[in-house]
Amino acid sequence: MNQESIKNAVEASLIADSYLLGSHWIYDEEELKNLDIDWNELNAPCAQWHVGKEKGDFTHYGDHTKWLLDYVKESKTFDIEAYKQVWLKNMKNYKGYIDGACQETMQIIQNDATAVVGSNSHDLSILGRISPLLYVSDTKEVFLSNVKSFVSFTHNNKNVLHVSKLFASMLYDVVNGSSIKDALSTVTVVKEIRSAFDAGVSSQNQNTFDSIQHFGPSCDVEGGFEGTLHLLVKYDNFKEVMLQNAKAGGDSSSRGMIVAMLMGAEGCSIPPSWRKATKGI
């Protein structure tokens, strides 16, 4: 596989997360319009959920992505049992936001130390963290298997797994030379998510704020999936899609990290100031 494309996919997802930290989890339309931030640059977080974070930091999504990235770069492989220990060690003293998926997964492991399948969380966010697995997946089959293990470790939800397979398949194809447009047109869409897929793709000509509000701006894969597809089919400029996604509010980082890893794999141009301001890449 093209190692530069993998690197671009990983870095784009992390830079997107750092950019989106500023307005992440702001839902109120008036509050979004009046945020005291520079939409063209990275910002400190405005939401109470990210207390202690600063400009250039990641949300907890980016933090978890870095844990996976550091693990695969050191181990040169992906083993869910080994990664579980890395994850538990990092979670032990983690100061960032601990979401329901993590809390429930830790409880499951406390009750059964052998468990490698966690919560039933339907959050979309886990899907934006999968790009580091490309470094240790020689074939598409291996990549899809690694993604399934990684996702189900904390988000063992049928719809999340269906959507994760779709985006993972697209990502693998884009890293290997396909365009996002071609990957979208050829990816296998199982019947369980077909109507959501069609709704997202067909929203290309609609207003982004209205579309994401209509689909649902929250953390749920139902709505978040469609909103992410809207962004992918409507925009081909990294800065523009991130800005419009941020202004749409809600769980913007979940949508943005998925879009970013695909656009990064395709070789998009990322604002130099965003790259420079993002810590930890």
Side-chain angles (χ1 to χ4, degrees):
M1 279 192 289
N2 187 319
Q3 296 297 302
E4 190 63 23
S5 292
I6 297 174
K7 181 174 182 288
N8 290 341
V10 173
E11 289 188 353
S13 68
L14 290 170
I15 292 167
D17 182 64
S18 190
Y19 167 73
L20 293 162
L21 173 67
S23 59
H24 186 238
W25 277 347
I26 302 295
Y27 284 87
D28 183 80
E29 184 174 351
E30 285 303 310
E31 186 178 359
L32 280 167
K33 288 180 180 178
N34 294 300
L35 284 181
D36 184 21
I37 63 174
D38 181 354
W39 291 103
N40 290 304
E41 300 295 342
L42 273 60
N43 296 270
C46 296
Q48 61 178 323
W49 313 106
H50 300 303
V51 172
K53 296 285 189 178
E54 301 174 345
K55 173 183 174 179
D57 286 340
F58 302 125
T59 72
H60 49 299
Y61 305 156
D63 289 337
H64 284 241
T65 305
K66 273 285 290 177
W67 298 349
L68 176 63
L69 176 61
D70 292 344
Y71 162 73
V72 299
K73 284 199 165 185
E74 181 177 349
S75 67
K76 310 299 182 187
T77 189
F78 179 73
D79 176 79
I80 191 60
E81 293 279 3
Y83 179 69
K84 178 175 80 171
Q85 300 308 317
V86 170
W87 185 82
L88 288 170
K89 182 179 178 180
N90 282 315
M91 286 299 297
K92 186 175 182 181
N93 298 306
Y94 185 55
K95 303 301 182 185
Y97 183 76
I98 299 177
D99 60 23
C102 292
Q103 293 178 38
E104 185 177 340
T105 297
M106 287 189 291
Q107 186 61 55
I108 288 170
I109 295 170
Q110 281 184 356
N111 294 333
D112 177 7
T114 67
V116 291
V117 172
S119 83
N120 186 39
S121 172
H122 46 68
D123 288 354
L124 178 73
S125 64
I126 189 67
L127 309 188
R129 312 175 206 173
I130 65 173
S131 56
L133 293 169
L134 287 163
Y135 280 119
V136 291
S137 303
D138 294 333
T139 67
K140 190 172 191 177
E141 182 180 12
V142 170
F143 181 55
L144 294 179
S145 176
N146 284 338
V147 167
K148 183 178 180 180
S149 294
F150 173 72
V151 170
S152 61
F153 174 60
T154 50
H155 295 69
N156 188 37
N157 175 280
K158 287 183 179 179
N159 274 351
V160 172
L161 288 167
H162 287 317
V163 175
S164 71
K165 186 174 182 180
L166 181 143
F167 280 133
S169 182
M170 285 182 60
L171 178 60
Y172 188 91
D173 289 348
V174 175
V175 163
N176 285 283
S178 292
S179 66
I180 293 174
K181 181 179 179 181
D182 286 345
L184 270 170
S185 67
T186 58
V187 72
T188 299
V189 186
V190 297
K191 65 180 187 300
E192 290 87 348
I193 58 172
R194 168 55 74 177
S195 61
F197 179 87
D198 290 344
V201 170
S202 65
S203 70
Q204 180 175 4
N205 296 321
Q206 297 172 14
N207 174 272
T208 293
F209 183 88
D210 294 340
S211 292
I212 289 176
Q213 292 298 312
H214 169 72
F215 291 134
S218 71
C219 304
D220 203 315
V221 68
E222 294 183 13
F225 177 41
E226 296 94 317
T228 302
L229 289 168
H230 166 84
L231 296 169
L232 282 170
V233 297
K234 188 173 181 68
Y235 301 98
D236 59 11
N237 179 278
F238 183 84
K239 181 177 180 179
E240 180 66 12
V241 70
M242 291 302 140
L243 192 151
Q244 296 303 327
N245 174 46
K247 288 187 173 182
D251 193 13
S252 53
S253 185
S254 288
R255 302 185 302 263
M257 289 184 75
I258 298 169
V259 172
M261 70 183 184
L262 286 161
M263 292 185 75
E266 197 176 40
C268 67
S269 176
I270 297 173
S273 62
W274 292 16
R275 184 182 296 278
K276 183 177 180 180
T278 300
K279 304 174 185 177
I281 61 167

